[in-house]
Amino acid sequence: MGYTMKVDGFEEFSEKLTQLGESAPGVASQALYDGAGVMADAVTKSAETIRTEKFHYSVFPGATTRLPSPEEKEIVMNAAAGIAKFRKSGTEVDTVVGFRNAGYAQLKGKTVPIPLIVNAINSGTSFMKKQPFFRKAASKTTPKAVQAMKNTIETAWSKLFHDVYDKYGGR
């Protein structure tokens, strides 16, 4: 005795899989943008934790290093971390969050690159104590950024398959 099996919706499901493949780069870019936004916000908020002291040159006896001045902290906070243009190569999309193209600011009558100030505060110099605000924000926020990316991807793909599931799989 032979049995017959009937499958409904396979063509529609196959079409959705094709759409998924075509939309994957766009979804990945949106997810990366959302994750980078979470990271940029965290870095900007972390700049508020920079400790400061009144500006002085490190020439006092026993004073080899100093904290950033309030003016330097203000420059960093006003610059805010940005998201660089996405780089796409084949199936990969990446970007950078930081102060790389933040421009210049006036500090003590001189024009100084903002990334130089950020790096001096974050990594320290021979005259400034390091305060790794950027690194701390990045390591602390990475799980949140990854989760934001996952949420974006899951939302986009669930919208794509929602109608197929309702029609054929939600019985």
Side-chain angles (χ1 to χ4, degrees):
M1 176 153 78
Y3 291 94
T4 303
M5 186 169 108
K6 182 179 176 187
V7 178
D8 289 332
F10 188 72
E11 289 176 17
E12 189 174 348
F13 188 74
S14 178
E15 183 180 314
K16 291 295 180 182
L17 284 175
T18 302
Q19 290 175 2
L20 178 66
E22 292 169 355
S23 67
V27 171
S29 293
Q30 182 61 46
L32 182 61
Y33 184 77
D34 292 346
V38 169
M39 190 66 70
D41 290 344
V43 169
T44 301
K45 285 182 184 176
S46 182
E48 296 172 3
T49 66
I50 297 172
R51 294 174 295 135
T52 64
E53 68 182 8
K54 185 178 177 190
F55 179 81
H56 64 81
Y57 290 101
S58 297
V59 293
F60 301 121
T64 56
T65 59
R66 65 174 179 86
L67 291 174
S69 69
E71 296 85 5
E72 290 167 320
K73 178 180 177 178
E74 184 179 343
I75 288 170
V76 173
M77 290 181 61
N78 289 338
I83 302 170
K85 183 178 178 182
F86 286 12
R87 291 183 303 233
K88 297 180 182 183
S89 61
T91 59
E92 295 181 12
V93 180
D94 67 12
T95 190
V96 177
V97 173
F99 295 88
R100 186 175 182 181
N101 293 324
Y104 296 86
Q106 291 295 318
L107 180 64
K108 303 290 180 197
K110 295 182 181 178
T111 302
V112 183
I114 294 173
L116 181 72
I117 297 169
V118 171
N119 287 339
I121 295 171
N122 194 56
S123 301
T125 64
S126 60
F127 59 86
M128 187 181 297
K129 295 176 186 173
K130 75 175 180 177
Q131 295 185 57
F133 74 97
F134 195 101
R135 188 175 32 213
K136 285 181 182 178
S139 63
K140 192 176 185 179
T141 309
T142 297
K144 292 177 186 174
V146 169
Q147 187 60 47
M149 293 169 66
K150 285 181 182 179
N151 291 345
T152 300
I153 292 169
E154 288 172 0
T155 300
W157 288 349
S158 68
K159 284 179 184 176
L160 187 64
F161 283 103
H162 183 70
D163 58 336
V164 173
Y165 178 76
D166 284 347
K167 188 173 182 179
Y168 298 104
R171 297 180 200 179

